[in-house]
Amino acid sequence: MADQKRKNQEVILQQFNKLRQEQRMVAQKMSELKLEESEHKLVIDALKDVNEPTRKCYQLVGGVLMERTVGQVQPNLENNASKINTLITTMDKTLESKQKELVDFKEKHGIKVRGEDSMEDKNKSDSPAPTSTGVLVN
């Protein structure tokens, strides 16, 4: 009976870690996209100051630097920035659902993560608390 309970706990732990990993991957991808979006905005803002649509500029396409004109590049950049923004919005909703799924799973199985409770206590009081994270305790 004890072996069965231990195996169930291990399965629950594996599922929990998988959910946490999925949440981290979504958050990491979102941060990458936000960085890419800010880079696009910087270039778009720089090109707005250029009054000549026939002026030469260079664009990296698939690892190859291509010579183009501002008039050719600017609409593509604006379109890409818009798509990235839409993707970030979608991924934000996905991240929220992953967070909710993780919280629900923790509550359902009575999982406590060492460090989370102490962080809440630390915010409520001035006493020092342990700062370890990521260790599961039943």
Side-chain angles (χ1 to χ4, degrees):
M1 188 69 170
D3 271 352
Q4 183 66 24
K5 186 175 182 180
R6 182 181 165 122
K7 286 180 182 179
N8 285 342
Q9 287 177 346
E10 288 176 6
V11 168
I12 290 170
L13 177 62
Q14 288 173 349
Q15 291 172 337
F16 178 73
N17 285 332
K18 181 181 176 206
L19 288 172
R20 286 180 65 180
Q21 182 64 24
E22 289 172 1
Q23 179 189 18
R24 287 183 183 134
M25 287 174 53
V26 171
Q28 180 181 2
K29 187 62 177 175
M30 263 186 67
S31 69
E32 290 172 10
L33 287 171
K34 285 180 180 181
L35 179 64
E36 195 170 324
E37 180 187 36
S38 68
E39 290 174 356
H40 272 71
K41 286 181 180 179
L42 283 172
V43 174
I44 289 168
D45 290 343
L47 289 179
K48 283 183 180 176
D49 295 337
V50 177
N51 295 328
E52 304 171 42
T54 58
R55 186 170 174 180
K56 289 182 185 178
C57 68
Y58 296 90
Q59 181 181 22
L60 192 62
V61 179
V64 178
L65 197 58
M66 305 289 292
E67 182 178 315
R68 308 246 187 210
T69 64
V70 171
Q72 292 172 321
V73 170
Q74 198 167 13
N76 291 342
L77 285 173
E78 290 171 354
N79 186 30
N80 286 348
S82 173
K83 288 179 181 178
I84 290 170
N85 191 1
T86 304
L87 189 54
I88 288 172
T89 303
T90 303
M91 291 195 75
D92 191 39
K93 291 175 185 173
T94 303
L95 183 60
E96 286 177 15
S97 72
K98 288 287 180 193
Q99 287 172 335
K100 183 180 181 329
E101 184 179 356
L102 193 61
V103 168
D104 291 346
F105 190 85
K106 281 171 54 176
E107 289 174 359
K108 178 181 176 184
H109 296 286
I111 296 173
K112 302 281 186 203
V113 178
R114 195 179 297 169
E116 282 183 358
D117 293 335
S118 63
M119 292 300 283
E120 290 172 8
D121 293 342
K122 188 174 183 179
N123 291 338
K124 293 177 184 176
S125 69
D126 293 331
S127 63
T131 58
S132 65
T133 58
V135 179
L136 292 174
V137 180
N138 278 345

